[in-house]
Short mmCIF file of all heavy atoms in Angstrom, two decimals:
data_model
loop_
_atom_site.label_atom_id
_atom_site.label_comp_id
_atom_site.label_asym_id
_atom_site.label_seq_id
_atom_site.Cartn_x
_atom_site.Cartn_y
_atom_site.Cartn_z
N MET K 169 13.55 -8.57 1.18
CA MET K 169 12.69 -9.48 1.89
C MET K 169 11.61 -8.65 2.35
O MET K 169 11.73 -7.58 2.96
CB MET K 169 13.45 -10.18 3.05
CG MET K 169 12.60 -11.20 3.74
SD MET K 169 13.62 -12.01 5.05
CE MET K 169 13.51 -10.87 6.39
N ARG K 170 10.30 -9.34 2.25
CA ARG K 170 9.16 -8.57 2.90
C ARG K 170 8.56 -9.33 3.98
O ARG K 170 8.56 -10.52 4.03
CB ARG K 170 8.07 -8.42 1.74
CG ARG K 170 8.47 -7.51 0.61
CD ARG K 170 7.47 -7.49 -0.32
NE ARG K 170 6.37 -6.54 0.01
CZ ARG K 170 6.49 -5.24 -0.17
NH1 ARG K 170 7.64 -4.76 -0.63
NH2 ARG K 170 5.53 -4.37 0.09
N ILE K 171 8.30 -8.61 5.04
CA ILE K 171 7.72 -9.25 6.28
C ILE K 171 6.21 -8.83 6.32
O ILE K 171 5.76 -7.72 6.09
CB ILE K 171 8.43 -8.67 7.56
CG1 ILE K 171 9.89 -8.99 7.47
CG2 ILE K 171 7.74 -9.19 8.80
CD1 ILE K 171 10.19 -10.47 7.55
N CYS K 172 5.39 -9.86 6.55
CA CYS K 172 3.99 -9.60 6.77
C CYS K 172 3.65 -8.59 7.74
O CYS K 172 4.11 -8.63 8.82
CB CYS K 172 3.31 -10.97 7.12
SG CYS K 172 1.48 -10.83 7.24
N ILE K 173 2.81 -7.58 7.34
CA ILE K 173 2.46 -6.52 8.26
C ILE K 173 1.55 -7.01 9.39
O ILE K 173 1.41 -6.34 10.31
CB ILE K 173 1.77 -5.33 7.49
CG1 ILE K 173 0.59 -5.88 6.77
CG2 ILE K 173 2.75 -4.61 6.66
CD1 ILE K 173 -0.26 -4.77 6.12
N ARG K 174 1.01 -8.14 9.23
CA ARG K 174 -0.03 -8.67 10.22
C ARG K 174 0.67 -9.50 11.30
O ARG K 174 0.34 -9.44 12.43
CB ARG K 174 -1.16 -9.37 9.46
CG ARG K 174 -2.06 -8.48 8.68
CD ARG K 174 -3.30 -9.17 8.24
NE ARG K 174 -3.89 -8.38 7.22
CZ ARG K 174 -4.67 -7.40 7.47
NH1 ARG K 174 -4.88 -6.96 8.69
NH2 ARG K 174 -5.16 -6.72 6.56
N CYS K 175 1.48 -10.47 10.73
CA CYS K 175 2.01 -11.51 11.67
C CYS K 175 3.58 -11.59 11.68
O CYS K 175 4.06 -12.53 12.25
CB CYS K 175 1.30 -12.83 11.47
SG CYS K 175 1.73 -13.60 9.82
N ASN K 176 4.19 -10.65 10.98
CA ASN K 176 5.61 -10.61 10.85
C ASN K 176 6.26 -11.94 10.38
O ASN K 176 7.45 -12.28 10.76
CB ASN K 176 6.19 -10.45 12.38
CG ASN K 176 5.88 -8.97 12.79
OD1 ASN K 176 5.98 -8.12 11.95
ND2 ASN K 176 5.64 -8.76 14.03
N THR K 177 5.56 -12.70 9.52
CA THR K 177 6.25 -13.86 8.89
C THR K 177 6.83 -13.42 7.59
O THR K 177 6.32 -12.36 6.98
CB THR K 177 5.03 -14.81 8.57
OG1 THR K 177 4.43 -15.20 9.78
CG2 THR K 177 5.67 -16.13 7.89
N LYS K 178 7.92 -14.13 7.23
CA LYS K 178 8.56 -13.81 5.98
C LYS K 178 7.56 -14.19 4.77
O LYS K 178 7.12 -15.28 4.72
CB LYS K 178 9.87 -14.53 5.77
CG LYS K 178 10.61 -14.22 4.51
CD LYS K 178 11.96 -14.97 4.44
CE LYS K 178 12.54 -14.66 3.12
NZ LYS K 178 13.20 -15.76 2.41
N MET K 179 7.40 -13.11 3.90
CA MET K 179 6.44 -13.36 2.84
C MET K 179 7.09 -14.06 1.62
O MET K 179 8.17 -13.99 1.41
CB MET K 179 5.77 -12.15 2.47
CG MET K 179 4.99 -11.41 3.55
SD MET K 179 4.17 -9.88 3.09
CE MET K 179 2.60 -10.48 2.44
N VAL K 180 6.22 -14.74 0.82
CA VAL K 180 6.70 -15.35 -0.48
C VAL K 180 6.54 -14.29 -1.49
O VAL K 180 5.52 -13.77 -1.81
CB VAL K 180 5.85 -16.54 -0.79
CG1 VAL K 180 6.42 -17.05 -2.13
CG2 VAL K 180 6.01 -17.65 0.30
N GLU K 181 7.75 -13.84 -2.01
CA GLU K 181 7.70 -12.74 -2.94
C GLU K 181 7.68 -13.23 -4.44
O GLU K 181 7.81 -14.36 -4.67
CB GLU K 181 9.00 -11.86 -2.84
CG GLU K 181 9.06 -11.27 -1.48
CD GLU K 181 10.26 -10.35 -1.35
OE1 GLU K 181 10.33 -9.26 -1.90
OE2 GLU K 181 11.24 -10.79 -0.66
N ASN K 182 7.57 -12.27 -5.32
CA ASN K 182 7.59 -12.51 -6.77
C ASN K 182 6.44 -13.39 -7.26
O ASN K 182 6.55 -14.10 -8.22
CB ASN K 182 9.00 -13.13 -7.14
CG ASN K 182 10.04 -12.23 -7.15
OD1 ASN K 182 9.95 -11.03 -7.61
ND2 ASN K 182 11.16 -12.65 -6.63
N CYS K 183 5.31 -13.29 -6.49
CA CYS K 183 4.14 -13.97 -7.04
C CYS K 183 3.49 -12.97 -8.01
O CYS K 183 3.70 -11.84 -8.12
CB CYS K 183 3.15 -14.25 -5.88
SG CYS K 183 3.84 -15.29 -4.57
N GLY K 184 2.57 -13.61 -8.78
CA GLY K 184 2.01 -12.67 -9.81
C GLY K 184 0.53 -12.38 -9.44
O GLY K 184 -0.06 -13.03 -8.50
N ILE K 185 -0.06 -11.50 -10.33
CA ILE K 185 -1.48 -11.13 -10.11
C ILE K 185 -2.02 -11.07 -11.42
O ILE K 185 -1.48 -10.62 -12.39
CB ILE K 185 -1.66 -9.88 -9.30
CG1 ILE K 185 -3.14 -9.68 -8.98
CG2 ILE K 185 -1.06 -8.71 -9.96
CD1 ILE K 185 -3.51 -8.50 -8.02
N LYS K 186 -3.35 -11.51 -11.64
CA LYS K 186 -3.91 -11.61 -12.89
C LYS K 186 -5.41 -11.42 -12.64
O LYS K 186 -5.94 -11.85 -11.62
CB LYS K 186 -3.53 -12.91 -13.46
CG LYS K 186 -3.97 -13.05 -14.83
CD LYS K 186 -3.15 -14.23 -15.49
CE LYS K 186 -3.97 -15.45 -15.74
NZ LYS K 186 -3.14 -16.39 -16.60
N VAL K 187 -6.09 -10.79 -13.64
CA VAL K 187 -7.53 -10.71 -13.67
C VAL K 187 -8.02 -12.03 -14.12
O VAL K 187 -7.75 -12.50 -15.11
CB VAL K 187 -8.04 -9.57 -14.48
CG1 VAL K 187 -9.53 -9.44 -14.37
CG2 VAL K 187 -7.39 -8.26 -13.96
N LYS K 188 -8.86 -12.60 -13.15
CA LYS K 188 -9.38 -13.97 -13.54
C LYS K 188 -10.32 -13.91 -14.81
O LYS K 188 -11.06 -12.99 -14.96
CB LYS K 188 -10.22 -14.39 -12.38
CG LYS K 188 -10.47 -15.86 -12.38
CD LYS K 188 -11.17 -16.37 -11.13
CE LYS K 188 -11.36 -17.92 -11.16
NZ LYS K 188 -12.11 -18.26 -9.94
N GLY K 189 -10.00 -14.92 -15.69
CA GLY K 189 -10.94 -14.97 -16.75
C GLY K 189 -10.31 -14.12 -17.98
O GLY K 189 -10.84 -14.17 -19.11
N ALA K 190 -9.33 -13.28 -17.75
CA ALA K 190 -8.72 -12.56 -18.77
C ALA K 190 -7.25 -12.73 -18.83
O ALA K 190 -6.65 -13.12 -17.92
CB ALA K 190 -9.10 -11.02 -18.58
N ARG K 191 -6.65 -12.31 -19.97
CA ARG K 191 -5.28 -12.45 -19.94
C ARG K 191 -4.54 -11.06 -19.67
O ARG K 191 -3.39 -10.88 -19.92
CB ARG K 191 -4.83 -12.88 -21.37
CG ARG K 191 -5.34 -14.33 -21.73
CD ARG K 191 -4.59 -14.87 -22.97
NE ARG K 191 -4.86 -13.81 -24.03
CZ ARG K 191 -4.09 -13.94 -25.18
NH1 ARG K 191 -3.34 -14.99 -25.42
NH2 ARG K 191 -4.22 -13.08 -26.04
N TYR K 192 -5.33 -10.21 -19.13
CA TYR K 192 -4.75 -8.93 -18.90
C TYR K 192 -3.91 -9.04 -17.53
O TYR K 192 -4.29 -9.75 -16.58
CB TYR K 192 -5.86 -7.97 -18.62
CG TYR K 192 -6.77 -7.85 -19.71
CD1 TYR K 192 -8.19 -7.99 -19.41
CD2 TYR K 192 -6.43 -7.54 -20.95
CE1 TYR K 192 -9.14 -7.91 -20.51
CE2 TYR K 192 -7.33 -7.47 -22.02
CZ TYR K 192 -8.64 -7.66 -21.76
OH TYR K 192 -9.56 -7.54 -22.71
N GLY K 193 -2.89 -8.28 -17.40
CA GLY K 193 -2.23 -8.18 -16.18
C GLY K 193 -2.67 -6.81 -15.51
O GLY K 193 -3.56 -6.15 -15.97
N VAL K 194 -2.09 -6.44 -14.40
CA VAL K 194 -2.34 -5.26 -13.81
C VAL K 194 -1.23 -4.26 -13.94
O VAL K 194 -0.12 -4.72 -13.87
CB VAL K 194 -2.64 -5.37 -12.24
CG1 VAL K 194 -2.78 -4.10 -11.57
CG2 VAL K 194 -3.78 -6.28 -12.05
N VAL K 195 -1.49 -3.02 -14.36
CA VAL K 195 -0.51 -2.05 -14.54
C VAL K 195 -0.79 -0.91 -13.62
O VAL K 195 -1.90 -0.45 -13.54
CB VAL K 195 -0.41 -1.60 -16.09
CG1 VAL K 195 0.60 -0.52 -16.25
CG2 VAL K 195 -0.13 -2.83 -17.01
N LEU K 196 0.34 -0.41 -13.07
CA LEU K 196 0.21 0.75 -12.24
C LEU K 196 0.74 1.98 -12.93
O LEU K 196 1.72 1.82 -13.70
CB LEU K 196 0.95 0.54 -10.95
CG LEU K 196 0.57 -0.69 -10.07
CD1 LEU K 196 1.41 -0.68 -8.81
CD2 LEU K 196 -0.89 -0.53 -9.66
N THR K 197 0.20 3.14 -12.68
CA THR K 197 0.72 4.41 -13.15
C THR K 197 0.72 5.36 -12.02
O THR K 197 -0.21 5.34 -11.23
CB THR K 197 0.03 4.88 -14.41
OG1 THR K 197 0.61 5.98 -14.95
CG2 THR K 197 -1.48 5.18 -14.12
N ASP K 198 1.59 6.31 -12.17
CA ASP K 198 1.49 7.56 -11.29
C ASP K 198 0.83 8.67 -11.86
O ASP K 198 0.72 9.78 -11.35
CB ASP K 198 2.97 7.88 -10.85
CG ASP K 198 3.77 8.30 -11.95
OD1 ASP K 198 3.50 7.89 -13.19
OD2 ASP K 198 4.82 8.92 -11.73
N ASP K 199 0.33 8.49 -13.11
CA ASP K 199 -0.39 9.59 -13.79
C ASP K 199 -1.42 8.96 -14.63
O ASP K 199 -1.30 8.27 -15.56
CB ASP K 199 0.70 10.24 -14.78
CG ASP K 199 0.07 11.57 -15.37
OD1 ASP K 199 -1.17 11.52 -15.53
OD2 ASP K 199 0.83 12.36 -15.81
N GLU K 200 -2.78 9.21 -14.31
CA GLU K 200 -3.92 8.49 -15.00
C GLU K 200 -3.97 8.94 -16.38
O GLU K 200 -4.82 8.26 -17.10
CB GLU K 200 -5.06 8.85 -14.13
CG GLU K 200 -5.13 8.02 -12.82
CD GLU K 200 -6.48 8.15 -12.25
OE1 GLU K 200 -6.96 9.32 -12.08
OE2 GLU K 200 -7.06 7.22 -11.93
N ASP K 201 -3.31 10.00 -16.87
CA ASP K 201 -3.36 10.42 -18.20
C ASP K 201 -2.38 9.68 -19.13
O ASP K 201 -2.37 9.69 -20.27
CB ASP K 201 -2.97 11.84 -18.42
CG ASP K 201 -4.19 12.69 -17.69
OD1 ASP K 201 -5.35 12.22 -17.68
OD2 ASP K 201 -3.84 13.76 -17.26
N LYS K 202 -1.50 8.89 -18.44
CA LYS K 202 -0.44 8.21 -19.08
C LYS K 202 -0.43 6.68 -18.77
O LYS K 202 0.49 6.30 -18.06
CB LYS K 202 0.91 8.84 -18.82
CG LYS K 202 1.05 10.24 -19.37
CD LYS K 202 2.27 10.90 -18.93
CE LYS K 202 2.29 12.44 -19.34
NZ LYS K 202 3.29 13.15 -18.69
N TRP K 203 -1.36 6.02 -19.26
CA TRP K 203 -1.49 4.59 -18.94
C TRP K 203 -0.60 3.85 -19.84
O TRP K 203 -0.03 2.77 -19.43
CB TRP K 203 -2.92 4.08 -19.10
CG TRP K 203 -3.72 4.46 -17.90
CD1 TRP K 203 -4.71 5.45 -17.77
CD2 TRP K 203 -3.72 3.91 -16.57
NE1 TRP K 203 -5.15 5.44 -16.61
CE2 TRP K 203 -4.53 4.61 -15.83
CE3 TRP K 203 -2.81 2.86 -16.01
CZ2 TRP K 203 -4.83 4.21 -14.46
CZ3 TRP K 203 -3.08 2.55 -14.66
CH2 TRP K 203 -3.97 3.20 -13.90
N PHE K 204 -0.46 4.35 -21.14
CA PHE K 204 0.38 3.50 -22.02
C PHE K 204 1.89 3.36 -21.67
O PHE K 204 2.37 4.31 -21.22
CB PHE K 204 0.19 4.11 -23.43
CG PHE K 204 -1.10 3.97 -23.97
CD1 PHE K 204 -2.03 4.99 -24.00
CD2 PHE K 204 -1.63 2.62 -24.33
CE1 PHE K 204 -3.35 4.72 -24.31
CE2 PHE K 204 -2.94 2.47 -24.80
CZ PHE K 204 -3.80 3.59 -24.81
N GLY K 205 2.42 2.21 -21.77
CA GLY K 205 3.68 2.01 -21.41
C GLY K 205 3.87 1.60 -19.93
O GLY K 205 4.89 1.09 -19.47
N GLY K 206 2.74 1.70 -19.20
CA GLY K 206 2.72 1.23 -17.74
C GLY K 206 3.86 1.89 -17.05
O GLY K 206 4.81 1.32 -16.66
N ARG K 207 3.78 3.27 -16.87
CA ARG K 207 4.93 4.09 -16.33
C ARG K 207 5.56 3.46 -15.13
O ARG K 207 6.81 3.61 -14.92
CB ARG K 207 4.39 5.44 -16.02
CG ARG K 207 4.26 6.35 -17.22
CD ARG K 207 3.29 7.54 -16.92
NE ARG K 207 3.84 8.33 -15.81
CZ ARG K 207 4.63 9.32 -16.02
NH1 ARG K 207 5.22 9.50 -17.22
NH2 ARG K 207 5.14 9.99 -15.04
N LEU K 208 4.81 2.80 -14.21
CA LEU K 208 5.46 2.32 -13.05
C LEU K 208 5.76 0.81 -13.25
O LEU K 208 6.23 0.16 -12.26
CB LEU K 208 4.55 2.54 -11.89
CG LEU K 208 4.49 3.98 -11.50
CD1 LEU K 208 3.55 4.15 -10.27
CD2 LEU K 208 5.77 4.70 -11.32
N GLY K 209 5.38 0.24 -14.34
CA GLY K 209 5.56 -1.15 -14.50
C GLY K 209 4.40 -2.05 -13.88
O GLY K 209 3.49 -1.56 -13.27
N GLU K 210 4.66 -3.38 -13.94
CA GLU K 210 3.66 -4.28 -13.40
C GLU K 210 4.03 -4.51 -11.93
O GLU K 210 5.17 -4.73 -11.61
CB GLU K 210 3.63 -5.53 -14.18
CG GLU K 210 3.17 -5.34 -15.63
CD GLU K 210 3.09 -6.61 -16.43
OE1 GLU K 210 3.19 -7.70 -15.79
OE2 GLU K 210 2.89 -6.59 -17.53
N PRO K 211 3.01 -4.64 -11.10
CA PRO K 211 3.24 -4.82 -9.71
C PRO K 211 3.59 -6.35 -9.44
O PRO K 211 3.23 -7.24 -10.19
CB PRO K 211 1.85 -4.55 -9.10
CG PRO K 211 0.87 -4.83 -10.13
CD PRO K 211 1.56 -4.44 -11.43
N LYS K 212 4.33 -6.41 -8.36
CA LYS K 212 4.60 -7.91 -7.87
C LYS K 212 3.69 -8.18 -6.72
O LYS K 212 3.19 -7.26 -6.06
CB LYS K 212 6.11 -7.95 -7.51
CG LYS K 212 7.08 -7.68 -8.51
CD LYS K 212 7.37 -9.01 -9.26
CE LYS K 212 8.48 -8.78 -10.33
NZ LYS K 212 9.31 -9.89 -10.47
N VAL K 213 3.67 -9.42 -6.40
CA VAL K 213 2.80 -9.71 -5.25
C VAL K 213 3.60 -10.62 -4.30
O VAL K 213 4.41 -11.47 -4.67
CB VAL K 213 1.54 -10.61 -5.72
CG1 VAL K 213 0.76 -11.06 -4.60
CG2 VAL K 213 0.65 -9.62 -6.68
N ALA K 214 3.43 -10.36 -3.05
CA ALA K 214 3.96 -11.19 -1.92
C ALA K 214 2.84 -11.80 -1.14
O ALA K 214 1.82 -11.06 -0.88
CB ALA K 214 4.92 -10.25 -1.08
N ILE K 215 2.99 -13.02 -0.75
CA ILE K 215 1.88 -13.63 -0.03
C ILE K 215 2.49 -14.18 1.26
O ILE K 215 3.51 -14.84 1.32
CB ILE K 215 1.21 -14.74 -0.89
CG1 ILE K 215 0.74 -14.14 -2.24
CG2 ILE K 215 0.11 -15.48 -0.08
CD1 ILE K 215 0.29 -15.23 -3.12
N CYS K 216 1.81 -13.92 2.27
CA CYS K 216 2.20 -14.43 3.63
C CYS K 216 1.75 -15.93 3.74
O CYS K 216 0.46 -16.24 3.60
CB CYS K 216 1.55 -13.63 4.78
SG CYS K 216 2.01 -14.37 6.34
N PRO K 217 2.74 -16.81 3.91
CA PRO K 217 2.28 -18.30 4.04
C PRO K 217 1.67 -18.63 5.31
O PRO K 217 1.03 -19.73 5.45
CB PRO K 217 3.65 -18.95 3.80
CG PRO K 217 4.65 -18.10 4.24
CD PRO K 217 4.16 -16.62 4.01
N SER K 218 1.67 -17.73 6.26
CA SER K 218 1.18 -17.99 7.51
C SER K 218 -0.23 -17.62 7.63
O SER K 218 -1.17 -18.36 8.02
CB SER K 218 2.02 -17.34 8.57
OG SER K 218 1.48 -17.54 9.82
N CYS K 219 -0.62 -16.32 7.29
CA CYS K 219 -1.95 -15.90 7.51
C CYS K 219 -2.72 -15.55 6.22
O CYS K 219 -3.79 -15.21 6.16
CB CYS K 219 -1.95 -14.56 8.40
SG CYS K 219 -1.35 -12.99 7.53
N GLY K 220 -1.92 -15.54 5.07
CA GLY K 220 -2.58 -15.39 3.85
C GLY K 220 -2.62 -13.86 3.39
O GLY K 220 -3.26 -13.59 2.33
N GLU K 221 -2.11 -13.00 4.03
CA GLU K 221 -2.05 -11.55 3.76
C GLU K 221 -1.36 -11.39 2.40
O GLU K 221 -0.34 -12.03 2.13
CB GLU K 221 -1.20 -10.76 4.76
CG GLU K 221 -0.88 -9.37 4.40
CD GLU K 221 -2.17 -8.42 4.55
OE1 GLU K 221 -3.14 -8.83 4.98
OE2 GLU K 221 -2.12 -7.27 3.97
N VAL K 222 -2.00 -10.69 1.57
CA VAL K 222 -1.50 -10.44 0.23
C VAL K 222 -1.04 -9.02 0.03
O VAL K 222 -1.77 -8.10 0.42
CB VAL K 222 -2.59 -10.69 -0.96
CG1 VAL K 222 -1.85 -10.38 -2.31
CG2 VAL K 222 -2.79 -12.22 -0.90
N SER K 223 0.22 -8.74 -0.38
CA SER K 223 0.78 -7.50 -0.55
C SER K 223 1.20 -7.21 -1.93
O SER K 223 1.88 -8.03 -2.53
CB SER K 223 2.04 -7.40 0.40
OG SER K 223 2.64 -6.18 0.30
N ILE K 224 0.65 -6.13 -2.40
CA ILE K 224 0.95 -5.81 -3.85
C ILE K 224 2.10 -4.66 -3.81
O ILE K 224 1.78 -3.68 -3.03
CB ILE K 224 -0.21 -5.31 -4.70
CG1 ILE K 224 -1.25 -6.52 -4.73
CG2 ILE K 224 0.18 -4.91 -6.15
CD1 ILE K 224 -2.52 -6.07 -5.40
N TYR K 225 3.17 -4.90 -4.47
CA TYR K 225 4.30 -3.92 -4.38
C TYR K 225 4.94 -3.70 -5.73
O TYR K 225 4.82 -4.47 -6.63
CB TYR K 225 5.17 -4.40 -3.31
CG TYR K 225 6.04 -5.61 -3.68
CD1 TYR K 225 7.34 -5.51 -4.09
CD2 TYR K 225 5.32 -6.83 -3.53
CE1 TYR K 225 7.92 -6.75 -4.56
CE2 TYR K 225 6.15 -8.01 -3.84
CZ TYR K 225 7.27 -7.99 -4.35
OH TYR K 225 8.01 -9.13 -4.73
N LEU K 226 5.68 -2.68 -5.78
CA LEU K 226 6.48 -2.40 -6.96
C LEU K 226 7.95 -2.70 -6.62
O LEU K 226 8.51 -2.30 -5.60
CB LEU K 226 6.35 -0.90 -7.33
CG LEU K 226 5.12 -0.49 -8.06
CD1 LEU K 226 5.11 1.00 -8.22
CD2 LEU K 226 5.08 -1.19 -9.43
N GLU K 227 8.56 -3.37 -7.66
CA GLU K 227 10.00 -3.66 -7.40
C GLU K 227 10.89 -2.50 -7.55
O GLU K 227 11.82 -2.29 -6.77
CB GLU K 227 10.36 -4.77 -8.27
CG GLU K 227 11.48 -5.69 -7.75
CD GLU K 227 11.44 -7.10 -8.47
OE1 GLU K 227 11.39 -7.13 -9.68
OE2 GLU K 227 11.41 -8.06 -7.79
N ASP K 228 10.55 -1.66 -8.51
CA ASP K 228 11.40 -0.54 -8.90
C ASP K 228 10.72 0.80 -8.42
O ASP K 228 10.03 1.42 -9.15
CB ASP K 228 11.65 -0.48 -10.39
CG ASP K 228 12.64 0.57 -10.72
OD1 ASP K 228 13.24 1.17 -9.81
OD2 ASP K 228 12.81 0.87 -11.99
N VAL K 229 11.06 1.23 -7.20
CA VAL K 229 10.36 2.48 -6.65
C VAL K 229 11.17 3.67 -7.24
O VAL K 229 10.84 4.83 -6.97
CB VAL K 229 10.28 2.45 -5.19
CG1 VAL K 229 9.26 1.44 -4.76
CG2 VAL K 229 11.70 2.12 -4.54
N ASN K 230 12.36 3.51 -7.80
CA ASN K 230 13.11 4.60 -8.33
C ASN K 230 12.29 5.40 -9.43
O ASN K 230 12.46 6.58 -9.55
CB ASN K 230 14.46 4.13 -8.97
CG ASN K 230 15.38 3.69 -7.91
OD1 ASN K 230 15.44 4.26 -6.76
ND2 ASN K 230 16.13 2.69 -8.20
N LYS K 231 11.34 4.66 -9.99
CA LYS K 231 10.51 5.31 -10.97
C LYS K 231 9.55 6.41 -10.35
O LYS K 231 9.16 7.35 -10.89
CB LYS K 231 9.71 4.28 -11.76
CG LYS K 231 10.50 3.53 -12.74
CD LYS K 231 9.72 2.60 -13.59
CE LYS K 231 10.49 1.71 -14.38
NZ LYS K 231 9.70 0.58 -15.05
N LEU K 232 9.27 6.13 -9.12
CA LEU K 232 8.52 7.09 -8.41
C LEU K 232 9.35 8.19 -7.78
O LEU K 232 8.92 9.39 -7.69
CB LEU K 232 7.83 6.38 -7.13
CG LEU K 232 6.53 5.57 -7.40
CD1 LEU K 232 6.19 4.88 -6.06
CD2 LEU K 232 5.44 6.52 -7.79
N LYS K 233 10.56 7.89 -7.54
CA LYS K 233 11.46 8.96 -6.86
C LYS K 233 12.00 9.91 -7.88
O LYS K 233 12.15 11.06 -7.63
CB LYS K 233 12.58 8.23 -6.14
CG LYS K 233 12.10 7.55 -4.93
CD LYS K 233 13.36 6.77 -4.28
CE LYS K 233 12.77 5.93 -3.10
NZ LYS K 233 13.67 4.79 -2.81
N ASN K 234 12.23 9.35 -9.07
CA ASN K 234 12.94 10.21 -10.14
C ASN K 234 11.93 10.59 -11.21
O ASN K 234 12.10 10.30 -12.31
CB ASN K 234 14.17 9.50 -10.64
CG ASN K 234 15.06 9.16 -9.64
OD1 ASN K 234 15.37 9.80 -8.64
ND2 ASN K 234 15.66 7.88 -9.77
N GLN K 235 10.97 11.26 -10.84
CA GLN K 235 9.97 11.61 -11.76
C GLN K 235 10.29 12.87 -12.59
O GLN K 235 10.72 13.85 -12.01
CB GLN K 235 8.58 11.86 -11.23
CG GLN K 235 7.92 10.58 -10.68
CD GLN K 235 6.62 10.90 -10.09
OE1 GLN K 235 5.97 11.86 -10.41
NE2 GLN K 235 6.04 9.93 -9.35
N GLU K 236 10.12 12.81 -13.87
CA GLU K 236 10.34 13.95 -14.73
C GLU K 236 8.93 14.44 -15.13
O GLU K 236 8.35 13.77 -15.88
CB GLU K 236 11.18 13.54 -15.92
CG GLU K 236 12.61 13.28 -15.57
CD GLU K 236 13.48 12.77 -16.74
OE1 GLU K 236 13.19 13.23 -17.86
OE2 GLU K 236 14.19 11.78 -16.62
N ARG K 237 8.60 15.59 -14.70
CA ARG K 237 7.37 16.13 -15.06
C ARG K 237 7.39 17.46 -15.85
O ARG K 237 8.29 18.10 -15.50
CB ARG K 237 6.40 16.28 -13.77
CG ARG K 237 6.15 15.04 -13.14
CD ARG K 237 4.73 14.89 -12.68
NE ARG K 237 4.37 13.48 -12.33
CZ ARG K 237 3.25 13.18 -11.84
NH1 ARG K 237 2.31 14.05 -11.75
NH2 ARG K 237 3.06 11.90 -11.49
ZN1 ZN W 356 1.01 -13.08 7.80
#
């Protein structure tokens, strides 16, 4: 569960994000040389129904913790 950092309301999770006008999604990486495969996966979005705060987050942070470099 995510709580809004601004107003402490429970946020609506698992929302999506998309670049308007394109069918591209957003992909995050921890290494700008390795975009292919989207090393960190696609971000999820949580939106606060009270104040509209939008929070972009990664569901699987283990990929950040267990990096093999
Ligand atoms: Zn809020």
Side-chain angles (χ1 to χ4, degrees):
M169 185 177 82
R170 294 179 84 77
I171 299 295
C172 179
I173 56 172
R174 296 192 191 280
C175 68
N176 290 322
T177 301
K178 184 181 179 221
M179 300 182 85
V180 179
E181 295 181 77
N182 290 314
C183 299
I185 184 171
K186 186 160 113 169
V187 178
K188 197 173 181 184
R191 294 192 311 173
Y192 309 123
V194 173
V195 175
L196 300 180
T197 184
D198 59 341
D199 185 340
E200 287 187 309
D201 293 330
K202 295 173 184 168
W203 282 105
F204 291 103
R207 283 162 57 86
L208 294 178
E210 296 184 7
K212 298 270 186 154
V213 174
I215 302 171
C216 175
S218 178
C219 74
E221 170 73 11
V222 173
S223 174
I224 300 176
Y225 65 99
L226 279 174
E227 209 157 50
D228 186 5
V229 289
N230 288 327
K231 288 180 184 170
L232 278 175
K233 292 172 185 163
N234 303 320
Q235 288 185 18
E236 293 175 36
R237 297 226 168 177

